Amino acid sequence: MKKNMLIGQSGGPTAVINSSLAGAIDFAFKQENIGTVYGMINGIQGVFEDNLINLTEKFADKPYELNRLKLTPAMYLGSCRYKIKNTDEEFAKIISAFEKYDIGYFFYIGGNDSMDTVKKLSDYTVSHGIDVKVIGIPKTIDNDLNGIDHSPGFGSAAKYIASAVREVAYDTSIYSVKSVHIIEAMGRNAGWLTAASALARHGDTIAPHLIYLPEIPFSVEQFLEDVKEKLEQYNSVIVVVSEGIKDTNGEYICSRGESKDKFGHVMLSGTGNFLKTVVEENIGCKVRALEPSVLQRSAGHISSLTDVEEAFNLGVFAVKAALSGKTGVFSTLRRTSNLPYTVEYTTEDVTVVANAEKTVPRSWINEAGNDVTDEMIEYLNPLIEGVVQTPYRNGLPDYIDVSHLDIKKQRYTN
């Protein structure tokens, strides 16, 4: 029996989350068992607010528009940071929407917390005998998802960070004065993105000179010794730190007091600026703190082609999994070879990834805790490969229109 499909996006944006959306809907358009494909505006909140968009009308039989979607960063459907509360009232609203739009397939693209929604909803539908297949599609620049070799979005963010570090290295090399540049990369508890800065090294260029991940307790005193040692060897020292580096007591070295986001995570800011002050007060050389912030999340102009294609394929595989009868799983990939680089697509139970974090193995960090090992480089190298042929117009990337995300716009109604 033909059923309709509902898909949404949640959490933070990436350069390739729309690639997963494009892969899922493109494959769905070709399936006899799937009717209309709807998108939730602003994640699960779009279900509660009856705020959906007809993606079949927008993209079916429109290959150019679908390709623009595939190569547009951030989230075409908008996002939210909302965890369903496991209450009968909320589930009743969701199931009512499923019935109204005749939904038989539900897909949610997101990270750790988004997979919690997938788990709760799949548990509810199974326990109540509701025939809706609930599938997760992974994404996060943090690369901290369990059950997957690497997360869609990470490769492109890694490519951006490595490129930025290399360009800073070239910029600072022109001066003979002693200087320290501290670059703060995203990563609350997992240092994958910070580690990717090591890819900036090539030939005689060895920047970044120091790399600090949250997996290793951070000592301000040792940091100063490390910087002083590098300044004896080089005029310009480039340091990359994770925003979430912690002291020996497990406390973030810089946080906004007790401020937390909606998921209870401590809101971090100013790690680079804190260390800038430390260097100024104790060493006294020229210091800059650089924070790429949101620039590293949605840099579509420098996406990894590997990342784009894998994200697209994970969207396709998620729909295949639902059509085969699976529910309560997420699409994933496993690396089968480094040389040549190959992966295989499969599914994992969503309990593996919901509310869990994958951190960098200690063996991939050097003994001193201020750099990464060759094993890390071998893992990272394939993920940034390939150049995306982004369409351009008037000299700038021609990304797809997202004006429908303006809450003042008229909402789609059935």
Side-chain angles (χ1 to χ4, degrees):
M1 180 185 299
K2 181 175 290 190
K3 287 283 188 176
N4 297 330
M5 169 177 152
L6 182 60
I7 189 167
Q9 299 166 312
S10 178
T14 80
V16 303
I17 190 170
N18 284 330
S19 299
S20 292
L21 174 63
I25 66 175
D26 181 47
F27 186 74
F29 293 153
K30 303 167 185 174
Q31 306 310 305
E32 292 182 357
N33 291 342
I34 299 178
T36 302
V37 178
Y38 296 103
M40 321 170 223
I41 299 299
N42 299 125
I44 196 68
Q45 289 180 331
V47 176
F48 294 140
E49 299 168 3
D50 195 23
N51 191 9
L52 308 184
I53 185 171
N54 189 322
L55 297 175
T56 301
E57 290 181 352
K58 289 282 186 178
F59 294 105
D61 301 319
K62 298 175 183 176
Y64 180 77
E65 286 302 294
L66 193 69
N67 187 62
R68 287 178 73 205
L69 173 66
K70 179 181 178 180
L71 301 180
T72 294
M75 294 166 161
Y76 178 78
L77 295 174
S79 185
C80 70
R81 292 191 179 274
Y82 185 87
K83 269 189 176 181
I84 58 178
K85 300 180 177 63
N86 249 353
T87 64
D88 289 339
E89 180 182 2
E90 285 201 337
F91 283 127
K93 289 180 181 179
I94 296 171
I95 300 307
S96 176
F98 286 175
E99 292 173 349
K100 177 179 179 180
Y101 292 95
D102 196 22
I103 302 300
Y105 308 96
F106 177 95
F107 301 89
Y108 213 30
I109 313 173
N112 318 71
D113 296 306
S114 304
M115 294 304 110
D116 177 72
T117 294
V118 173
K119 181 183 183 305
K120 289 175 178 174
L121 188 52
S122 61
D123 286 348
Y124 184 87
T125 53
V126 169
S127 64
H128 287 73
I130 299 169
D131 188 17
V132 177
K133 307 307 178 189
V134 182
I135 308 287
I137 303 173
K139 71 87 204 172
T140 180
I141 68 166
D142 295 325
N143 197 38
D144 60 354
L145 303 184
N146 287 325
I148 189 168
D149 181 80
H150 54 277
S151 306
F154 170 65
S156 294
K159 188 169 186 170
Y160 177 90
I161 287 294
S163 298
V165 170
R166 181 174 290 186
E167 288 165 354
V168 170
Y170 273 84
D171 181 277
T172 61
S173 68
I174 68 174
Y175 300 107
S176 61
V177 297
K178 294 290 185 180
S179 68
V180 176
H181 286 70
I182 302 168
I183 301 173
E184 177 185 331
M186 286 183 172
R188 179 182 285 106
N189 298 316
W192 298 101
L193 194 54
T194 304
S197 65
L199 296 175
R201 297 167 180 157
H202 70 111
D204 295 329
T205 302
I206 62 170
H209 303 86
L210 297 165
I211 299 172
Y212 298 94
L213 312 184
E215 285 82 357
I216 300 295
F218 184 84
S219 164
V220 172
E221 293 73 22
Q222 186 59 55
F223 165 75
L224 286 169
E225 290 302 313
D226 291 347
V227 172
K228 288 176 183 177
E229 180 183 341
K230 294 299 181 183
L231 282 171
E232 291 177 0
Q233 303 174 59
Y234 310 101
N235 282 331
S236 172
V237 173
I238 296 176
V239 181
V240 184
V241 300
S242 294
E243 63 178 343
I245 53 175
K246 310 174 189 69
D247 62 23
T248 54
N249 295 319
E251 299 292 328
Y252 296 110
I253 68 165
C254 186
S255 64
R256 297 183 204 161
E258 296 300 318
S259 297
K260 297 182 179 180
D261 64 18
K262 291 183 178 180
F263 291 136
H265 302 144
V266 175
M267 296 174 64
L268 307 179
S269 69
T271 299
N273 281 320
F274 170 77
L275 294 177
K276 173 179 180 289
T277 300
V278 167
V279 173
E280 287 174 334
E281 292 178 349
N282 291 275
I283 297 179
C285 65
K286 178 181 178 181
V287 192
R288 282 198 176 99
L290 307 174
E291 186 179 351
S293 186
V294 298
L295 296 175
Q296 61 206 291
R297 299 197 305 190
S298 297
H301 65 286
I302 198 170
S303 295
S304 154
L305 182 60
T306 297
D307 199 19
V308 170
E309 295 301 332
E310 288 180 346
F312 186 91
N313 292 340
L314 283 164
V316 171
F317 199 84
V319 179
K320 288 183 178 180
L323 290 172
S324 72
K326 292 185 178 182
T327 191
V329 301
F330 69 100
S331 56
T332 186
L333 55 81
R334 296 170 183 160
R335 188 179 310 213
T336 52
S337 172
N338 268 332
L339 289 172
Y341 171 69
T342 55
V343 299
E344 64 178 9
Y345 297 91
T346 184
T347 58
E348 280 275 7
D349 191 292
V350 75
T351 56
V352 170
V353 67
N355 300 310
E357 285 182 309
K358 177 181 71 177
T359 55
V360 175
R362 180 61 182 89
S363 61
W364 289 11
I365 306 170
N366 72 345
E367 185 176 350
N370 59 14
D371 207 336
V372 298
T373 64
D374 290 341
E375 288 86 354
M376 173 65 84
I377 301 300
E378 291 172 7
Y379 169 82
L380 293 170
N381 268 327
L383 309 185
I384 67 168
E385 290 295 326
V387 178
V388 176
Q389 298 301 311
T390 303
Y392 275 73
R393 180 175 298 181
N394 298 326
L396 294 174
D398 185 25
Y399 297 142
I400 203 161
D401 174 51
V402 292
S403 59
H404 57 277
L405 296 179
D406 186 339
I407 61 173
K408 297 177 182 179
K409 299 289 183 181
Q410 182 178 358
R411 293 175 177 172
Y412 172 83
T413 56
N414 194 26

